[in-house]
Amino acid sequence: MSKLLITNIGLLATPLGRSALAGKAQGEILKLSHAWIMTEDGVITEAGSGEPPIMEQERCFETIDAGGRLVTPGLVDAHTHLIFGGFRQHELADKLRGRTYLEILAAGGGILSTVKATRAASEAQLTAKALAALKEMLSFGVTLCEAKSGYGLSTEEELKQLRVVRNLNGTQPVELVSTFLGAHAIPPEYKDDHEGYVRLICEDMLPAVASQGLAEYCDVFCESGVFSVEESRRILSRALALGLKVKIHADEIDALGGAQLAGALGAVSAEHLIAVTDKGIKSMQKGGTIACLLPATSFYLGADYAPARKFIQAGVPVALATDYNPGSCPSLNLQLVMNLACLKDKMTPEEVLTAVTLNGAAAIGRAVSHGSIEAGKKADFVIRNAADLDYLCYRFGSNLAGTVIKGGIIC
Ligand code: NIG
Ligand code: FE
């Protein structure tokens, strides 16, 4: 039995609950001064303020003095394209010359150039590369993340990516939740046969993914020139019938109606949402869909920022994630996402904290066990080199994760 006690916490800041928080509640977090946290076998047993119970103190094997600093829950990165071969720095010059993301993709670059590199990489190579990324994530205080496939675009190659995700779980500290994203782009073999590729996804890829238990979620890139709303509906309906939960890359560049579809299907989350319409927001509110916003992608693409305040006003829970991928967000820094969410999405530090912890966990089905500091939850938290939450949201560009604790173990 391993027991851990964190004492002398200047400020403990955490949302509370076992499901996503929306509206006003998203900003109503618990702030405890002079706090302590007790854990046992990787689970939080108690947290409080003032002096920790003496008897319990004596029974703890290990005590950490937080030095009067801020402690937050471990961060949750609920949207990443973690598994890919190569990088795409060669697109930077094109981008600076004014070529858009969709123009680069239509010319066979973008996602398709990463598909080539991913197909050429072995499982061992992809694993080694993802391991390095997970290590960097952990250094920012991320203890749970989502990882998508979507750079294989054939049954075997998609399964390969998902096996990498499965093998990374439990072999290093960051926990992973896997998402099948076969509908990320049309592969070169199906360039003139969209319908054939949609059929391949529905009739071959999805049954294989489901029967091998390789993904919890199915996602679709619903966008002009990629997958239409109708194609997305077919793919996601098939996924639901096979027992997967669903997500959508929706209304990122054009307002196609992905958010309406997300609400209508009861998708767990819709992502990006830069171009979302009021109708889309309403549909998501009705369907209980979480808005997963990705401001670092807006930053890198030079695009607008998603209307976070509208979602909060409409009672749609907001999560925030990096979207880590080699094309539109080559960064793993979820702390930077927090800074951008304040400055560009006009969210308060309290709303932001909920978005990268409890609401992120809810967006990947882990809100019951992760995403807040309270009894019964996983002992995942971060001692920050900061005195308060405002400081964390204001010092952009610095890494303020001091000590990261994952499952009661100091990383
Ligand atoms: O979420 N939008 C689609 N997919 C990724 C980008 C993937 C890539 O460019 O490699 C995204 O931004
Ligand atoms: Fe994405």
Side-chain angles (χ1 to χ4, degrees):
M1 234 172 33
S2 75
K3 283 189 162 207
L4 177 70
L5 174 67
I6 316 289
T7 59
N8 193 20
I9 298 171
L11 181 71
L12 189 160
T14 180
L16 292 176
R18 286 174 158 75
S19 57
L21 298 175
K24 215 166 141 258
Q26 172 146 9
E28 291 171 346
I29 64 168
L30 174 74
K31 286 184 181 173
L32 279 184
S33 305
H34 312 293
W36 50 269
I37 303 170
M38 202 118 50
T39 81
E40 190 170 330
D41 292 335
V43 175
I44 297 166
T45 49
E46 221 182 322
S49 60
E51 280 305 307
I54 298 279
M55 244 182 48
E56 288 294 336
Q57 277 186 63
E58 282 165 0
R59 281 198 265 145
C60 283
F61 292 144
E62 197 163 7
T63 302
I64 302 177
D65 184 329
R69 290 176 289 170
L70 170 72
V71 172
T72 68
L75 304 185
V76 181
D77 195 343
H79 180 141
T80 85
H81 301 253
L82 182 72
I83 315 296
F84 57 85
F87 275 100
R88 303 218 297 271
Q89 65 271 37
H90 55 273
E91 285 174 5
L92 182 61
D94 265 352
K95 181 177 145 69
L96 297 177
R97 264 185 242 114
R99 273 183 104 191
T100 67
Y101 181 80
L102 289 182
E103 279 166 4
I104 294 172
L105 177 61
I111 294 174
L112 294 176
S113 107
T114 300
V115 168
K116 258 195 210 144
T118 307
R119 286 178 176 180
S122 67
E123 250 172 89
Q125 285 167 328
L126 293 174
T127 303
K129 183 155 182 260
L131 260 177
L134 288 165
K135 199 167 165 206
E136 187 179 334
M137 263 190 198
L138 187 70
S139 77
F140 291 119
V142 173
T143 48
L144 167 66
C145 77
E146 186 243 23
K148 301 178 196 290
S149 66
Y151 293 113
L153 308 188
S154 71
T155 306
E156 242 341 284
E157 291 293 329
E158 286 293 308
L159 294 176
K160 178 175 94 180
Q161 279 191 272
L162 292 172
R163 278 195 302 272
V164 171
V165 178
R166 185 182 57 194
N167 295 338
L168 285 165
N169 235 336
T171 54
Q172 48 71 50
V174 182
E175 279 178 82
L176 297 99
V177 172
S178 68
T179 296
F180 165 67
L181 180 56
H184 195 196
I186 307 289
E189 309 82 72
Y190 286 87
K191 200 162 77 74
D192 302 313
D193 184 15
H194 265 224
E195 174 53 29
Y197 188 60
V198 173
R199 251 189 283 122
L200 181 76
I201 293 174
C202 292
E203 290 167 20
D204 200 50
M205 290 189 189
L206 272 169
V209 168
S211 70
Q212 295 180 36
L214 279 171
E216 276 183 52
Y217 288 87
C218 175
D219 192 349
V220 173
F221 187 16
C222 178
E223 187 58 65
S224 302
V226 196
F227 293 90
S228 69
V229 173
E230 266 330 298
E231 289 169 339
S232 304
R233 186 195 304 277
R234 270 172 64 196
I235 294 165
L236 296 174
S237 301
R238 180 80 175 116
L240 284 168
L242 287 165
L244 278 84
K245 293 173 275 185
V246 299
K247 298 175 166 288
I248 314 184
H249 277 65
D251 302 328
E252 175 181 0
I253 300 166
D254 291 328
L256 275 199
Q260 277 109 297
L261 177 63
L265 291 176
V268 176
S269 65
E271 338 274 311
H272 287 287
L273 300 163
I274 294 168
V276 71
T277 61
D278 289 347
K279 256 189 170 165
I281 295 177
K282 216 175 182 168
S283 168
M284 286 174 60
Q285 195 274 332
K286 268 173 85 183
T289 300
I290 296 168
C292 186
L293 308 184
L294 311 165
T297 303
S298 293
F299 172 76
Y300 189 74
L301 293 179
D304 289 337
Y305 289 80
R309 295 250 57 88
K310 275 193 175 182
F311 284 112
I312 291 171
Q313 269 151 27
V316 174
V318 174
L320 289 158
T322 58
D323 192 23
Y324 175 63
N325 74 75
S328 63
C329 186
S331 171
L332 288 156
N333 191 340
L334 193 54
Q335 278 181 81
L336 179 64
V337 168
M338 295 172 74
N339 306 135
L340 289 171
C342 282
L343 298 171
K344 299 293 188 180
D345 289 311
K346 310 293 176 206
M347 292 172 68
T348 66
E350 290 77 12
E351 289 166 344
V352 166
L353 185 71
T354 300
V356 291
T357 55
L358 187 60
N359 285 4
I364 52 174
R366 295 291 187 276
V368 169
S369 49
H370 297 68
S372 60
I373 298 175
E374 54 192 307
K377 290 245 184 158
K378 252 244 139 103
D380 297 354
F381 39 83
V382 186
I383 303 173
R384 298 274 170 192
N385 292 328
D388 58 39
L389 196 53
D390 285 349
Y391 188 85
L392 186 62
C393 288
Y394 134 96
R395 282 292 310 277
F396 78 91
S398 292
N399 184 357
L400 299 177
T403 305
V404 183
I405 290 141
K406 170 68 196 161
I409 293 168
I410 301 157
C411 296

